[in-house]
Amino acid sequence: MSTNTNANVNTNISNIAKHPEQAPMFDLLFFGGTGDLAMRKLLPSLFMAHSAGTLHPKGRIWGLSRQQLTTEQYLDILEKEVRTHAKVADASQEVWQSFCQRIHYQKVDVTELNDFNALKTTLDSFDNKQDVIAYLAITPKLFEVTCKNLVDAKLDDGNMRVVLEKPMGTDLASSNAINDAVAQYFHEQQLYRIDHYLGKESVQNLLMLRFSNILFEPLWKNEWIDNVQITIAEDLGVEGRGGFYDGIGALRDMMQNHLLQLVCMVAMEPPASMDADSIRSEKLKVLKSLRPMTAIEDINQNSVRGQYTKGIISRVDENNVVNDSVVPAYRDEPNVNPNSQTETFVAIKAHIDNWRWAGVPFYLRTGKRMQEKFAEIVITFKDVPHKLFSGTPQNMQPNRMVIRLQPDESIRLYVKSKKLGNSMEVQRTFLNLNFHEILQGRRTSAYERLLQDVIESRLPLFVHRDEQAAAWQWVEPIMEAWAKDEVPLYKYSAGSYGPVQSYELIAKDGRTWKEDVLM
Ligand code: BG6
């Protein structure tokens, strides 16, 4: 894996500044500073960090966009968004006012070098020299010119960090083109490719669980594991992003990045240390071991794509009342082609061809407008070799470990125990580790954690370009077959768990998705 050590990088995942004053001072430049991501996620996350006192007091935050705004006007727009999207215990006017001291706005058209020169002059007018971080929350088409202008305006002193937001291309070639363009100006060590799933508390907890407990690792292999299921289900639809989503679809939007990163977390070998190179090269090995699916028969056998039709989504409100709402079909969403062939659901049976995982299928699925929002990893263990006891089929299910990533974080280990009474009948039960109940304290959002990591130059939770390329390489043949309509696009009702064919995908192996056995 290629790395260049010019930049001053703190490569260790756990090497966190204990006190904000020890963390670097920073000028955080948000290109796309008036955009959706900045308003809904990035600035609210920084407000949460500010309220918790984890940012260096001298850190400055810059909203940059083509709009001609004063800082006061920018703050007016920002306040409403931050108050809507930030989860903080103390959102008093005093805390907000102190946050405002960090915020500056400057008009920057990323195609205009003069605007970058003006920005440099503004930054230089402050007494203290701070690390400059550029967050590119803009279309990747503008990454190259932005990087060029950052360098030409001498904003990079060799230690600048550049954060790259998705979508990083729509296939291997376009992703390589973006990475090559950016690499003309910045070393790999300066580039922070975001996959916000890696910033989730529960995903990091998975690393902790696997590599700091002796219990799991000996069982974590094909000898003892029958199959692994990973699901990221969303109850939301495309939420006004139809124009972006149509033609992209679930395979590119969720599978190529978030799902495959979770596969890496489950399947990687223990890294030699928690530094960026060790972690990222172990993940890369997993991605490279994914069995390629290239023949159309293979793709047809092992993948299912779906699109939601009109249906009913049920949500439980804070008073425990169930509210049903009828939601439109994907094709009736705004800015979606009424004949769209874009998938909003994907299920894939994958194999990792290495010693640890040979023969263990990984069933992966994700979809929009599913029955509920949740993300889970389900490890199903093999059954005992000789059964001494009996019970109902439901109770006789083999051991399962269900790692719930969201919305609530927990680990449930399903075990067989004895039913009360005189008989020796098996009763399935579970050991429940509910992190929300056990671990009290402030929870950081994924973006807050990742922004803090960029500020403190921590690379391990960011994606190396080689990982990105390997992931595209694996999904690309599937994408191509789907684009040629060589695999049918199945319909599923909004509010369900996806098309029936996704049940058949797993049923033909004599297995079931978790919700069918553990409800
Ligand atoms: C984004 C996708 O990367 O992840 C969205 O573009 C999706 O389509 C989102 O809704 C899901 O993230 P989370 O954190 O809500 O599970």
Side-chain angles (χ1 to χ4, degrees):
M1 189 177 278
S2 57
T3 48
N4 187 309
T5 49
N6 249 16
N8 177 12
V9 171
N10 171 359
T11 54
N12 203 311
I13 199 170
S14 50
N15 200 2
I16 294 169
K18 296 284 177 293
H19 192 278
E21 306 256 1
Q22 293 169 348
M25 295 186 283
F26 59 89
D27 274 303
L28 185 42
L29 315 178
F30 282 115
F31 293 91
T34 53
D36 218 39
L37 186 73
M39 290 292 166
R40 290 159 57 112
K41 297 279 187 199
L42 305 177
L43 275 304
S45 299
L46 286 170
F47 181 60
M48 292 191 264
H50 171 88
S51 310
T54 57
L55 298 178
H56 192 289
K58 294 202 169 132
R60 290 184 289 254
I61 298 164
W62 296 82
L64 309 170
S65 88
R66 277 184 307 182
Q67 291 183 48
Q68 201 62 263
L69 295 173
T70 61
T71 295
E72 288 65 37
Q73 288 168 325
Y74 184 65
L75 283 170
D76 283 345
I77 305 171
L78 196 60
E79 183 170 7
K80 194 168 136 274
E81 298 284 349
V82 166
R83 289 205 183 274
T84 311
H85 299 291
K87 295 185 193 89
V88 286
D90 179 8
S92 67
Q93 202 51 25
E94 204 185 333
V95 176
W96 170 251
Q97 286 306 333
S98 64
F99 182 61
C100 291
Q101 303 301 311
R102 297 180 182 276
I103 310 279
H104 305 261
Y105 180 84
Q106 190 151 331
K107 185 221 145 219
V108 173
D109 176 339
V110 294
T111 62
E112 292 291 337
L113 176 59
N114 282 342
D115 287 359
F116 285 78
N117 290 331
L119 182 63
K120 167 85 170 134
T121 308
T122 314
L123 295 188
D124 287 349
S125 69
F126 289 87
D127 289 343
N128 46 328
K129 162 127 184 41
Q130 328 217 106
D131 285 3
V132 182
I133 299 161
Y135 197 118
L136 309 195
I138 50 178
T139 164
K141 286 186 205 125
L142 295 173
F143 282 5
E144 181 169 9
V145 67
T146 308
C147 290
K148 179 175 187 323
N149 284 334
L150 283 168
V151 170
D152 288 353
K154 304 201 168 32
L155 280 155
D156 175 27
D157 60 355
N159 192 31
M160 185 180 207
R161 274 89 80 193
V162 180
V163 186
L164 305 176
E165 255 298 338
K166 62 175 284 228
M168 289 273 307
T170 52
D171 54 18
L172 180 61
S174 56
S175 152
N176 279 343
I178 294 168
N179 282 320
D180 288 346
V182 168
Q184 297 172 80
Y185 305 101
F186 294 99
H187 304 297
E188 182 62 27
Q189 292 282 64
Q190 292 178 278
L191 297 172
Y192 290 68
R193 291 180 199 83
I194 288 242
D195 183 314
H196 78 279
Y197 263 71
L198 296 180
K200 290 183 191 271
E201 184 73 28
S202 49
V203 176
Q204 290 154 35
N205 206 6
L206 184 57
L207 286 181
M208 185 71 84
L209 179 84
R210 280 197 60 198
F211 301 132
S212 65
N213 293 293
I214 197 67
L215 280 182
F216 304 115
E217 212 43 32
L219 298 179
W220 215 257
K221 54 167 83 151
N222 51 8
E223 206 180 335
W224 307 111
I225 291 181
D226 177 77
N227 76 90
V228 176
Q229 297 177 17
I230 307 181
T231 303
I232 304 179
E234 297 184 80
D235 58 352
L236 294 178
V238 283
E239 305 306 293
R241 292 162 74 228
F244 157 76
Y245 193 87
D246 204 32
I248 295 288
L251 188 60
R252 289 181 173 93
D253 187 46
M254 298 291 290
M255 180 68 74
Q256 183 273 342
N257 41 35
H258 309 321
L259 251 302
L260 290 188
Q261 284 293 328
L262 292 183
V263 169
C264 291
M265 292 292 182
V266 173
M268 70 196 263
E269 293 299 316
S273 77
M274 292 311 279
D275 70 33
D277 270 358
S278 306
I279 293 181
R280 301 195 305 177
S281 51
E282 291 305 340
K283 287 199 291 164
L284 180 61
K285 283 186 211 158
V286 173
L287 293 167
K288 288 193 161 174
S289 309
L290 281 167
R291 185 184 301 167
M293 247 192 269
T294 44
I296 186 65
E297 304 74 46
D298 245 12
I299 297 171
N300 249 317
Q301 280 272 318
N302 295 308
S303 74
V304 172
R305 61 180 185 136
Q307 189 188 72
Y308 63 84
T309 55
K310 188 172 160 180
I312 296 172
I313 297 282
S314 306
R315 291 207 179 91
V316 183
D317 67 17
E318 59 277 10
N319 303 319
N320 259 344
V321 176
V322 180
N323 296 303
D324 287 348
S325 47
V326 178
V327 296
Y330 173 69
R331 289 182 179 184
D332 295 330
E333 298 272 13
N335 303 321
V336 169
N337 176 348
N339 298 313
S340 175
Q341 288 293 104
T342 299
E343 80 285 352
T344 58
F345 174 96
V346 42
I348 292 186
K349 176 181 165 187
H351 282 280
I352 298 171
D353 285 337
N354 64 17
W355 275 41
R356 186 186 283 262
W357 295 111
V360 179
F362 277 65
Y363 299 100
L364 315 174
R365 68 181 165 161
T366 180
K368 294 211 179 277
R369 284 283 186 235
M370 291 177 68
Q371 195 173 97
E372 53 177 327
K373 179 176 171 70
F374 70 94
E376 260 177 14
I377 298 167
V378 181
I379 314 283
T380 303
F381 293 91
K382 293 193 168 156
D383 215 342
V384 289
H386 175 59
K387 293 194 179 71
L388 292 171
F389 306 105
S390 60
T392 64
Q394 197 74 352
N395 282 331
M396 291 302 286
Q397 294 288 326
N399 296 135
R400 277 194 175 81
M401 182 152 98
V402 179
I403 304 166
R404 182 112 166 155
L405 306 175
Q406 61 186 31
D408 44 331
E409 244 178 276
S410 65
I411 296 178
R412 277 185 181 191
L413 187 59
Y414 287 81
V415 293
K416 291 174 199 154
S417 60
K418 186 189 147 312
K419 207 170 187 167
L420 280 180
N422 289 339
S423 75
M424 284 300 278
E425 196 180 329
V426 173
Q427 165 83 56
R428 193 192 65 208
T429 177
F430 55 83
L431 304 167
N432 195 8
L433 194 57
N434 184 324
F435 291 111
H436 266 270
E437 282 169 11
I438 298 165
L439 304 174
Q440 300 292 328
R442 192 177 86 86
R443 299 186 127 68
T444 50
S445 74
Y447 271 103
E448 183 185 337
R449 167 77 206 244
L450 294 174
L451 281 164
Q452 197 91 42
D453 278 4
V454 182
I455 291 169
E456 294 177 34
S457 304
R458 281 192 299 272
L459 261 175
L461 296 179
F462 294 86
V463 180
H464 192 282
R465 73 170 286 178
D466 296 347
E467 289 174 68
Q468 216 167 44
W472 278 120
Q473 208 153 5
W474 187 71
V475 297
E476 200 163 73
I478 308 171
M479 258 161 46
E480 282 168 4
W482 289 7
K484 287 190 231 142
D485 282 336
E486 286 173 343
V487 175
L489 177 68
Y490 298 110
K491 295 294 162 79
Y492 63 100
S493 301
S496 68
Y497 279 109
V500 286
Q501 288 76 8
S502 64
Y503 285 83
E504 288 159 13
L505 174 83
I506 190 165
K508 63 189 176 205
D509 294 341
R511 301 185 176 103
T512 42
W513 292 106
K514 172 237 156 184
E515 66 268 10
D516 280 356
V517 280
L518 294 184
M519 285 297 193

